[in-house]
Amino acid sequence: MVEKMLNEVPDSTSIVSEAVNSELSRRSFVKATAATLAVAAAAGTLSSLVGCGGQGGVLGVGNSKVYTSVCRFCGCGCGVLCEVAGGRLVSVTGDPDNASNKGLNCVKGYYLAKVLYGKDRLTKPLIRKDKATKGTDSGLTEASWDEALDLVAEKLKAVWKEDKSRLAFWASGQQPIVEGYLTAKFWKAGLLSNNIDPNARLCMASAVVAFMNVFQTDEPAGCYEDLDLADVFITWGANMAEAHPVLYSRLTARKLNDSNVKHYDLGTIKTRTSASANKTMLFKPGTDNAIANCIANYLVSEEKYDKKFVEAHCQFKAGTEDLGNAYEDGWDATDKLQEATGNDGVWGIEFSEYADMLKKYTFKYTSELSGVSEADLKELAEVFADKNKKVMSLWTMGVNQHNRGTWMNHNIYNIHLLSGKFAQPGCGPFSLTGQPTACGTAREVGTFAHRLPADLLVANGQHRRYTEVLWGLPSGYLGDDEEKNPGIMKPGKHTIKIFRDLSNGDIDFLWSAHNNWAGSLPNLTRFLGKGEKKGIMDAFIVVSEVYPTLSCDYADVVFPAAMWIEREGQFGNAERRTAIFEKAVDPPGDAKWDAWILMQVAQRVLDGEVIGGNDSFDTLFGTIWDKDKKDFINESQREISKIVWEEYRTFTNPTMNPTADDINNDVGDKFGVTADDGTYTPAKLKLFAKQMAPYDEYLSNHGLTWPVREVDGKWLGTKWRFAAGKQEDGFDEYGIAQYGQKDDAGKLISKPGNIDLYKTAKYKASVTFRPYEPPAENPDAEYPFWFCTGRLLEHWHTGSMTRVVPELDRALPEALLDMNAADCEKLGVKDGDMVTVKSRHGEFNIRVSTAGRTAPPAGVVFAPFFAKETLINLAVHDYYDPLSKEPDYKKTCVSITKA
Amino acid sequence: MVISSLVIEAIPDQVDSVAAELAKIDNVEVHSTQDYKVVVLVEAETVDASHAIASSFINIEGVTGINLVYTNFEDDPDIIEAVSQ
């Protein structure tokens, strides 16, 4: 019957003509379209039917037009096709030609229909005239754009001239690449300030630091296709079923296709992901580092590791172990941390030393520590010992939001490297991302306080010089002398430092764009002026937003921004896929493209400023903005985006600029970049390792995974970085050919099936011993419970978009505290009771659920963070990982009492 | 009407029972099955209602995944009202 159905699916032309000829009602036509598309999607033949770009198909018929796009919500970055008629979005279809999702979307795809059209969209600039109203949902009044822009520019310029350490920009993984790139350029080159950091600091920073430590390049080696090919999946503290549903659907499809495929779920609570895993292993919070070391110990002590792989591709290191826990102001500057992070705080060791360090992590010791049985630990270790198994590890916030999150990232790589399960189809560690374009915008264009575009670092002279060349700045403009001309040599304030300083009254100007820190930051009691620290009330705060959020309650000016397909944008997802969402509709009211808002402020602030004798603003933004017109040089956002993209792309295509190419090729010391002793050290930038394609290629290919290579006039993506093989099959042929390890005769050492870690200095990944460290807080008589926080399916982060969709709000109307029944009984509370959750940092009230979405074991409780009326972050501590500066949202100790 | 199509994934030996359960739901039409996948159409007054129906599929024994392929909301009165404001 199935085959019959599929055979009956007519081609697109006949559907259209049938619809027209037989004068089927519109409804019948839409139904036929719906059925045709879904049958084709199930069969994997959707591509020919959708008729994108007016090529003929079932979409875009009549007066409607179809635009290529990417889902607005999470880091999966699924392609969608947006059909627009009469100036509004009328349908959304999974994009079959975007290889990240192949035509399927999760139920959040429904929200796309409504996210543009929710109640209360911000459509006019707002100004707060009476500071006394700060912290409330009133006091903002409508203003003209000129009034709001003049005010913001005046405040920013005043603080900048007075003391630029007292200004900050909090950027976002919700913003497209071009907007993030322009913002970083304005802040770093225009204002010479590194006080810009993204909200990705709260979700991905631990992953980023580990990538750089282990492989010297950010982002995963593998891709989503690994989900279709692995034999064993391990989720480490990740509720993929709710947080990454489309990817989880691929994982379950793989399991259904082969009964030998297994999924182990490791975490501190049972989730929807646990429900479908073959085995769930619940561990005591924080002991994941011990579990990974236990696996490593087994592989090494039993000699079950991949000796050939280890010898060829690994070097061993140890690092500073006593890092303490970061809570106090000024903690970053302590000797302990300086020692730990100087030179990465690591040193080389022999393999035998590494083996000795692991010895403590026996099955017995680890089982007692973690609560996972010895048998289960052994079963997991055997997975890595089995040379024939392709293993994929997946993780997000459980690992990253961890007081030793960078270490846990290291430890996952360690067991994959020891077992040689790395960068091959279906086999390797894969760091999932949370936010939509955290990879593309926050990580790749340099909106971190320590970074420049393309993984370059502000603290590295050659990196700054390379950037100066591409930004048309005089040599040394970004700094060349710590005393006399520091420029941006010193990294700026990371996110938590920005907000700690803000609360202490040490930040006078904050601009945040597309993030809701007043709901999402940990320890809101500390940051929102609810404790003794009131700095937030005095600072001048600017918020760029699409809907009113809690952060707007603290804003002095709110800029109404265009969202999603109301402007052109570029998206970088978790598998290194860059894709474009086209502008398809106009923003409502006076809402504007963020790039326009930024340029307006930049023109005002940089008025009269010069760089090397030339006008500052024109030097930085003259290619896209006409100062006399006070607008872009071209009305087309496509054209503006292309100009910016081509400039950004030069960072990863050095040959587009001869001087940049010389720096990339280490042509002597003619660029004045020398070490203190006057010698020149080759920079080995290897920037083609992140090569991006021309803008139009992303439109015609519906996204490409970098590095993208031009082969016979065609641009091809890379599915498996560092893996030898043919480019057209998805392997990293050209990267290895260019930078790979060669023998004395100049011949490449790697063969198909091998890897070449060409981005590292010695062609070797770093396996660094990282021990178990107890969490920053541990349960005691006063605060006996672990409190874990997270996200559930219906609501995206702080709910600023999803809670304006009534049905979603009804589906999950209230944040509940999931508790174990035994704990409830002990406390005398029952399902539905209101309780007060109190920590050393703050408290909030919440309703208890014993039949909630998650099922915590005794001693652990869980609540999501989407609800502004249940502000759980008031009680969550802001201890952070000393290496990544990412806070640990998962292990605050609390008491629970009946309210 | 808001018209949507979805691919529902099921445990392979429960595809038939999943399809039968889906067919019992008001405003849901089972179009076809393929391997472990069931293709369904959902017709509802609004996106909200359509989403509610689609989300409820997870409660059916044997359903492992709900994938939205297409949703057309040109007639959703809520959206028409929101746009007109």
Side-chain angles (χ1 to χ4, degrees):
Chain A
M1 174 209 153
V2 171
E3 277 155 21
K4 183 167 174 288
M5 284 305 307
L6 290 173
N7 291 337
E8 279 173 3
V9 175
D11 68 37
S12 55
T13 322
S14 71
I15 288 177
V16 175
S17 56
E18 186 188 331
V20 175
N21 293 342
S22 63
E23 293 182 347
L24 282 174
S25 67
R26 175 73 185 159
R27 181 175 164 188
S28 305
F29 173 67
V30 172
K31 270 187 81 172
T33 302
T36 307
L37 292 171
V39 170
T45 59
L46 184 55
S47 183
S48 61
L49 287 175
V50 291
C52 192
Q55 293 153 8
V58 299
L59 296 176
V61 176
N63 294 325
S64 69
K65 195 169 171 209
V66 183
Y67 296 88
T68 313
S69 192
V70 186
C71 172
R72 172 66 186 80
F73 292 103
C74 78
C76 293
C78 298
V80 294
L81 299 173
C82 293
E83 187 181 20
V84 170
R88 73 176 172 94
L89 186 62
V90 295
S91 85
V92 173
T93 309
D95 181 355
D97 294 319
N98 185 314
S100 284
N101 60 311
K102 298 176 182 170
L104 301 178
N105 289 133
C106 74
V107 289
K108 277 205 287 292
Y110 273 113
Y111 318 168
L112 291 173
K114 302 204 73 175
V115 74
L116 298 173
Y117 306 120
K119 272 205 306 205
D120 299 333
R121 265 302 291 274
L122 294 166
T123 58
K124 299 261 187 214
L126 303 171
I127 289 180
R128 184 182 308 279
K129 291 196 169 139
D130 177 6
K131 280 241 180 209
T133 60
K134 232 179 190 188
T136 73
D137 59 3
S138 62
L140 287 166
T141 52
E142 289 185 1
S144 71
W145 269 108
D146 271 338
E147 202 181 346
L149 291 164
D150 286 346
L151 178 60
V152 169
E154 181 201 322
K155 294 283 181 187
L156 173 55
K157 189 150 188 167
V159 176
W160 180 47
K161 291 287 180 188
E162 179 72 25
D163 180 356
K164 70 184 166 85
S165 75
R166 298 176 70 86
L167 55 82
F169 195 104
W170 204 41
S172 176
Q174 313 273 329
Q175 275 195 296
I177 291 170
V178 159
E179 292 167 26
Y181 175 81
L182 291 172
T183 310
K185 190 178 180 186
F186 172 48
W187 225 254
K188 303 216 170 201
L191 303 179
L192 287 176
S193 167
N194 282 322
N195 281 356
I196 174 170
D197 211 42
N199 56 2
R201 180 73 72 180
L202 305 181
C203 61
M204 296 312 305
S206 300
V208 173
V209 174
F211 273 120
M212 298 308 289
N213 289 164
V214 179
F215 309 109
Q216 292 170 32
T217 174
D218 196 7
E219 300 187 39
C223 61
Y224 294 166
E225 199 173 314
D226 293 331
L227 292 161
D228 308 332
L229 303 168
D231 300 318
V232 181
F233 297 99
I234 303 171
T235 42
W236 299 86
N239 183 7
M240 275 183 82
E242 297 208 56
H244 300 87
V246 161
L247 300 183
Y248 196 64
S249 174
R250 275 172 92 158
L251 185 158
T252 49
R254 169 70 185 135
K255 272 172 65 186
L256 292 171
N257 277 329
D258 184 343
S259 57
N260 293 318
V261 174
K262 294 271 181 294
H263 170 203
Y264 294 94
D265 181 46
L266 277 80
T268 59
I269 54 174
K270 279 191 183 168
T271 65
R272 273 194 178 171
T273 304
S274 325
S276 55
N278 296 84
K279 186 170 258 185
T280 301
M281 300 182 190
L282 288 186
F283 58 83
K284 193 179 138 200
T287 59
D288 42 359
N289 272 311
I291 291 171
N293 276 325
C294 176
I295 295 169
N297 183 43
Y298 178 73
L299 295 173
V300 170
S301 62
E302 298 289 320
E303 298 205 10
K304 293 191 172 182
Y305 63 99
D306 186 333
K307 289 184 188 118
K308 234 169 114 183
F309 185 96
V310 165
E311 196 174 318
H313 304 297
C314 300
Q315 57 182 327
F316 291 83
K317 291 178 180 172
T320 307
E321 295 186 5
D322 180 13
L323 296 177
N325 282 297
Y327 191 79
E328 300 307 321
D329 292 322
W331 186 87
D332 284 345
T334 58
D335 291 345
K336 183 181 276 185
L337 191 68
Q338 291 301 312
E339 184 198 328
T341 54
N343 198 24
D344 288 337
V346 295
W347 54 88
I349 55 172
E350 296 297 325
F351 178 70
S352 58
E353 292 175 87
Y354 175 70
D356 285 344
M357 290 170 174
L358 290 173
K359 275 187 179 147
K360 175 176 160 189
Y361 297 93
T362 60
F363 289 124
K364 186 165 181 294
Y365 168 77
T366 308
S367 175
E368 282 165 7
L369 193 69
S370 67
V372 179
S373 74
E374 286 188 50
D376 282 352
L377 290 170
K378 180 120 196 292
E379 187 177 333
L380 199 59
E382 288 294 356
V383 166
F384 285 90
D386 186 339
K387 300 220 171 349
N388 299 316
K389 287 258 189 302
K390 297 194 292 286
V391 182
M392 192 176 186
S393 282
L394 297 138
W395 70 98
T396 44
M397 297 314 139
V399 168
N400 294 339
Q401 295 175 338
H402 187 314
N403 73 323
R404 291 297 182 270
T406 305
W407 288 7
M408 187 54 202
N409 273 271
H410 276 250
N411 275 328
I412 293 175
Y413 294 127
N414 289 353
I415 53 180
H416 275 271
L417 289 166
L418 287 169
S419 58
K421 298 186 188 301
F422 181 76
Q424 292 297 318
C427 199
F430 194 91
S431 158
L432 295 160
T433 56
Q435 294 197 73
T437 175
C439 285
T441 306
R443 291 159 74 163
E444 289 164 22
V445 306
T447 55
F448 276 101
H450 64 297
R451 272 195 175 185
L452 292 163
D455 285 2
L456 300 178
L457 300 171
V458 295
N460 183 305
Q462 285 149 319
H463 294 192
R464 287 194 304 276
R465 184 70 199 109
Y466 188 89
T467 307
E468 286 162 358
V469 169
L470 296 195
W471 285 351
L473 305 170
S475 178
Y477 186 77
L478 296 177
D480 55 11
D481 185 312
E482 276 179 29
E483 295 294 317
K484 293 179 202 145
N485 179 30
I488 54 166
M489 295 170 75
K490 199 175 154 214
K493 295 173 180 177
H494 59 80
T495 293
I496 295 298
K497 174 82 173 144
I498 288 173
F499 284 95
R500 284 183 182 176
D501 282 0
L502 179 72
S503 68
N504 287 335
D506 295 330
I507 293 277
D508 295 329
F509 179 96
L510 171 74
W511 185 352
S512 77
H514 306 288
N515 42 52
N516 183 14
W517 43 269
S520 66
L521 284 174
N523 204 349
L524 289 176
T525 302
R526 179 174 183 165
F527 297 132
L528 292 188
K530 293 180 190 299
E532 61 194 30
K533 301 185 171 177
K534 305 286 185 196
I536 191 171
M537 299 301 175
D538 301 323
F540 188 85
I541 295 175
V542 185
V543 172
S544 299
E545 253 308 346
V546 296
Y547 286 106
T549 62
L550 271 179
S551 305
C552 294
D553 294 354
Y554 294 87
D556 292 276
V557 172
V558 176
F559 287 140
M563 74 178 296
W564 191 36
I565 54 171
E566 291 164 356
R567 84 319 204 173
E568 176 128 333
Q570 311 72 26
F571 194 111
N573 77 3
E575 63 165 352
R576 293 172 282 105
R577 183 176 304 278
T578 313
I580 291 169
F581 50 94
E582 300 181 87
K583 181 180 188 299
V585 295
D586 289 326
D590 291 339
K592 294 283 190 187
W593 185 21
D594 279 289
W596 181 91
I597 301 170
L598 183 81
M599 288 301 104
Q600 290 286 2
V601 172
Q603 177 175 356
R604 286 164 167 82
V605 173
L606 297 178
D607 184 39
E609 303 295 325
V610 289
I611 293 176
N614 299 312
D615 181 87
S616 288
F617 181 86
D618 283 338
T619 300
L620 297 172
F621 304 116
T623 55
I624 56 169
W625 189 262
D626 181 337
K627 280 203 303 196
D628 295 333
K629 215 168 80 177
K630 284 191 172 176
D631 209 339
F632 288 107
I633 56 161
N634 190 316
E635 280 179 14
S636 159
Q637 293 187 6
R638 169 71 44 82
E639 293 308 313
I640 299 301
S641 297
K642 257 190 210 180
I643 295 168
V644 178
W645 179 264
E646 286 305 294
E647 180 186 308
Y648 165 51
R649 191 168 81 85
T650 314
F651 276 92
T652 62
N653 287 267
T655 45
M656 289 168 71
N657 179 309
T659 312
D661 196 38
D662 282 349
I663 299 176
N664 189 55
N665 292 330
D666 293 314
V667 183
D669 61 356
K670 64 182 176 181
F671 308 107
V673 181
T674 51
D676 291 342
D677 63 1
T679 58
Y680 175 78
T681 310
K684 294 184 181 165
L685 297 179
K686 302 180 188 172
L687 280 160
F688 276 112
K690 285 188 105 81
Q691 190 174 17
M692 297 287 184
Y695 197 76
D696 287 340
E697 294 297 324
Y698 294 96
L699 286 163
S700 54
N701 286 288
H702 294 223
L704 287 165
T705 47
W706 63 262
V708 190
R709 311 298 186 187
E710 192 177 14
V711 183
D712 300 330
K714 206 167 175 266
W715 288 83
L716 303 174
T718 304
K719 291 179 189 169
W720 295 282
R721 291 166 88 190
F722 318 126
K726 287 199 174 309
Q727 193 73 36
E728 51 261 43
D729 296 332
F731 295 101
D732 200 353
E733 180 179 358
Y734 290 83
I736 292 176
Q738 189 165 16
Y739 298 127
Q741 192 174 12
K742 298 173 182 85
D743 63 18
D744 293 341
K747 240 179 115 197
L748 281 173
I749 289 176
S750 61
K751 303 269 180 304
N754 296 158
I755 64 161
D756 183 321
L757 293 163
Y758 58 80
K759 194 66 175 60
T760 60
K762 297 174 184 165
Y763 306 98
K764 287 184 176 201
S766 296
V767 175
T768 307
F769 174 74
R770 298 300 198 184
Y772 162 70
E773 169 77 19
E777 291 185 347
N778 289 280
D780 57 15
E782 198 177 355
Y783 300 105
F785 294 95
W786 298 104
F787 176 38
C788 179
T789 75
R791 186 152 68 83
L792 297 173
L793 177 66
E794 286 83 353
H795 292 300
W796 171 251
H797 283 179
T798 60
S800 57
M801 293 179 293
T802 50
R803 291 198 94 198
V804 299
V805 180
E807 183 53 41
L808 294 178
D809 207 28
R810 279 198 291 276
L812 191 61
E814 187 180 359
L816 300 171
L817 185 74
D818 290 344
M819 285 186 72
N820 187 284
D823 285 338
C824 284
E825 203 181 319
K826 212 157 62 184
L827 294 175
V829 300
K830 55 184 191 309
D831 199 75
D833 280 353
M834 284 300 285
V835 292
T836 300
V837 176
K838 188 176 172 202
S839 73
R840 289 174 180 85
H841 318 277
E843 62 183 78
F844 62 92
N845 287 344
I846 190 168
R847 201 175 300 282
V848 164
S849 171
T850 51
R853 195 65 67 76
T854 69
V860 181
V861 297
F862 172 88
F865 66 102
F866 66 82
K868 66 178 179 183
E869 66 282 359
T870 309
L871 210 49
I872 64 168
N873 278 321
L874 285 168
V876 173
H877 65 45
D878 60 323
Y879 283 104
Y880 57 79
D881 176 329
L883 299 182
S884 67
K885 332 291 185 203
E886 177 168 345
D888 185 334
Y889 285 86
K890 307 291 190 185
K891 307 180 205 61
T892 306
C893 288
V894 297
S895 65
I896 297 167
T897 48
K898 211 163 169 176
Chain B
M1 293 297 274
V2 172
I3 295 167
S4 309
S5 55
L6 299 98
V7 174
I8 309 304
E9 291 165 339
I11 294 169
D13 61 8
Q14 295 182 39
V15 171
D16 292 342
S17 66
V18 164
E21 285 302 311
L22 286 166
K24 286 183 198 163
I25 302 171
D26 285 347
N27 304 316
V28 176
E29 190 180 311
V30 172
H31 185 274
S32 57
T33 59
Q34 184 205 343
D35 298 336
Y36 58 92
K37 299 168 185 168
V38 186
V39 172
V40 299
L41 296 182
V42 177
E43 278 189 273
E45 193 63 26
T46 62
V47 166
D48 293 350
S50 190
H51 170 264
I53 293 167
S55 298
S56 74
F57 298 163
I58 198 70
N59 299 320
I60 296 171
E61 178 75 30
V63 169
T64 60
I66 305 167
N67 301 288
L68 179 66
V69 174
Y70 170 79
T71 175
N72 181 302
F73 37 90
E74 62 192 47
D75 296 332
D76 183 326
D78 293 350
I79 292 179
I80 290 169
E81 192 194 331
V83 173
S84 67
Q85 280 172 355

